[in-house]
Amino acid sequence: MPTKILFERIDSIELQGVSKKYGSRFAVESLDLTIEGGELLILIGPSGSGKTTTLRMINRMIEPDSGSILINGQNVMHLDPVRLRRNMGYVIQNIGLFPHMTIEENVGLVPKLEGWDQNRTTERVRYLLDFVSLPPDRFINRYPRQLSGGQQQRVGLARALAMDPPLLLMDEPFGALDPILRKQLQKEFLEIKKEIGRTIVFVTHDIEEAFRLGDRIAVMDNARLLQVGAPEDLIFEPVNELVADIVDTARKFKHMDTLNVKDLMTPLDTKYILEGDLDACHAVEVMKDRNTETCIVLDNGKLIGKLEMVNLLKCEEKNPLVRDIAKPMKVFALRDSVATALSEMKRSGEYMAMVMNGDTICGMLVSDEVLLKLI
């Protein structure tokens, strides 16, 4: 029997005095938090701060010991947990795809459990695969082991969206990916967020990810909520030193102005290099084998530009050479200021640039890796 829709939309989620203990230790203690309908709220904090426990109490994967969790004024403890979860999308770091099922079967699992017929389910799966930049004709009959890490993560998101839920819960969905792929999926997710207009609660340990994606950020530590607000609120008015340490990048990186690009660039890993005379179809296979979704196109050692898997997949039918579809990318010289380079990359929405000495490629500047090195 199909699950009754509990919430057509989310107006608010309220956690009132919510606590959860394991033995004598609080995982979450006396949490008061209101999540506004339509926002993307980030939960961030050190390991063990209580952010994942908070997320899982919203869909009752973990039951609170005390307090109330209200969605649109309804106490979730008064709702059937299976019905509750089927009215939410849930995306995790390790994706959780069933290896013995095709991509169609993975994405269409909940619609099937809801009693949808095969034609309706297939139509929905095809729409969602296209929505997350996986051409359905190419991917619908594959198995998870035949996909790259980034492609599997897209399937996980498609599965979470299968029933068009008004609420998405996301637990470090990009945390296990390498920095370049993580940035690419963050960029795509921002577009998806605008398109779906849903309420999203998103757990991360990465402050750069929080600033990039979140409408508001809730900082937790030692089972308690320290502060919640827009990124600028946390930067200019942190409530304590811990919040300042997490978000005050200007203070933390005050020495950055003395560093040059050459001090913090990363060697260009050969797995990201494609020769310009490779055609799009072969390029897709090469990138899949290397588990990459971004590549640098060279032509006889000369930099042509950057290509992303999502763009290659759109070009397979015409099958052009990659040199003809690569996009220009930002280039910095060895002695350029890191602070200036990162500021320029942020302003233009880029997460990766090349470092050159004249016509010679010296390495890459990847914003996430630079920040990690500075920390």
Side-chain angles (χ1 to χ4, degrees), residues 165-182:
L167 174 63
L168 275 180
L169 305 179
M170 307 186 74
D171 191 358
E172 300 206 50
F174 311 134
L177 304 174
D178 71 63
I180 291 176
L181 179 53
R182 184 165 67 246

Side-chain angles (χ1 to χ4, degrees), residues 91-135:
V91 186
I92 60 176
Q93 181 179 124
N94 295 322
I95 308 162
L97 300 179
F98 295 105
H100 61 287
M101 291 183 176
T102 65
I103 301 310
E104 179 177 13
E105 291 167 337
N106 267 285
V107 177
L109 179 60
V110 173
K112 182 179 179 180
L113 293 173
E114 290 294 297
W116 289 24
D117 63 43
Q118 187 59 52
N119 287 340
R120 184 185 179 194
T121 300
T122 299
E123 182 180 352
R124 179 64 175 165
V125 171
R126 292 182 67 87
Y127 168 80
L128 288 168
L129 290 180
D130 188 61
F131 186 63
V132 298
S133 302
L134 294 174

Side-chain angles (χ1 to χ4, degrees), residues 3 17 49 74 92 109 126 128 182 202 216 242 294 312 341:
T3 299
S49 60
Q74 294 188 65
I92 60 176
L109 179 60
R126 292 182 67 87
L128 288 168
R182 184 165 67 246
F202 190 111
R216 290 193 304 151
L242 178 62
T294 301
L312 275 172

Side-chain angles (χ1 to χ4, degrees), residues 97-106 138-148 151-152 155 288:
L97 300 179
F98 295 105
H100 61 287
M101 291 183 176
T102 65
I103 301 310
E104 179 177 13
E105 291 167 337
N106 267 285
R138 181 180 181 90
F139 289 97
I140 198 165
N141 293 317
R142 293 193 177 189
Y143 288 87
R145 66 179 180 274
Q146 297 173 303
L147 274 58
S148 69
Q151 290 165 350
Q152 289 184 34
V155 173
K288 175 185 166 297

Side-chain angles (χ1 to χ4, degrees), residues 275-278 297-299 304 307 320-326:
E275 290 298 327
D277 57 0
L278 196 64
V297 179
L298 305 182
D299 210 354
I304 302 299
L307 261 181
L321 299 181
V322 294
R323 70 160 70 97
D324 296 326
I325 54 174

Side-chain angles (χ1 to χ4, degrees), residues 288-338:
K288 175 185 166 297
D289 290 342
R290 296 176 181 176
N291 197 25
T292 62
E293 298 211 8
T294 301
C295 68
I296 307 300
V297 179
L298 305 182
D299 210 354
N300 294 319
K302 180 182 177 182
L303 176 66
I304 302 299
K306 180 180 71 172
L307 261 181
E308 294 168 351
M309 176 74 86
V310 290
N311 295 319
L312 275 172
L313 290 171
K314 295 174 184 176
C315 297
E316 281 188 297
E317 188 173 337
K318 294 183 179 179
N319 200 26
L321 299 181
V322 294
R323 70 160 70 97
D324 296 326
I325 54 174
K327 296 181 178 180
M329 59 189 303
K330 286 204 168 294
V331 173
F332 297 103
L334 290 169
R335 295 189 177 278
D336 284 345
S337 160
V338 167

